[in-house]
Amino acid sequence: MSDKAELIFALIVGLCGISSLLYFAHACFYALFMNIREKIRGLSSKLVPCNVCGHEVSKTAIICPSCGESFGRDNTSSIAESMFAMFVLGVFTSALAVYLIIVMFEPAQELYLLFTSK
């Protein structure tokens, strides 16, 4: 009985891990395609309006040069804006999920045999 419980627990944990990896891979590829869409449509403007005075300010600015409003962000760009990083993370997590599916095939077979044997 403990063999069945251990296998069931391992499969549940493995399936949760696989679904999490596949969700993360999906999010990476979605961000990648949204970045490509922005580049094609020209929506990736380097300037945004200031919340206080409305003047055009760089996306990487820490304060507005016109009114001095602090944006509370640093000069580093988000990793989600990097098309290369999103592609690499998406491929890596997809490959890891496929590997885990292959590795989990044997315990799933063992569990099937335990439940079907009399």
Side-chain angles (χ1 to χ4, degrees):
M1 182 63 180
S2 68
D3 289 338
K4 287 182 183 180
E6 289 175 10
L7 282 174
I8 291 172
F9 181 74
L11 288 174
I12 289 172
V13 169
L15 288 174
C16 290
I18 289 170
S19 62
S20 298
L21 286 172
L22 289 175
Y23 179 78
F24 183 72
H26 174 268
C28 290
F29 285 124
Y30 179 78
L32 170 69
F33 289 122
M34 293 307 290
N35 287 335
I36 291 171
R37 181 176 164 230
E38 284 182 6
K39 297 289 184 196
I40 290 173
R41 290 189 176 179
L43 301 175
S44 60
S45 173
K46 303 268 186 217
L47 300 175
V48 293
C50 174
N51 296 334
V52 175
C53 66
H55 284 87
E56 295 288 315
V57 181
S58 171
K59 281 185 177 180
T60 60
I62 297 173
I63 61 168
C64 175
S66 179
C67 67
E69 173 69 14
S70 175
F71 294 116
R73 58 181 176 233
D74 56 7
N75 286 332
T76 61
S77 65
S78 171
I79 192 168
E81 294 176 5
S82 170
M83 286 189 263
F84 178 73
M86 289 297 100
F87 178 75
V88 170
L89 284 173
V91 169
F92 177 74
T93 54
S94 298
L96 186 58
V98 169
Y99 172 75
L100 287 177
I101 290 170
I102 293 169
V103 167
M104 284 183 51
F105 184 71
E106 185 179 336
Q109 272 187 325
E110 286 181 37
L111 186 64
Y112 175 75
L113 292 175
L114 280 174
F115 276 111
T116 57
S117 65
K118 294 181 182 180

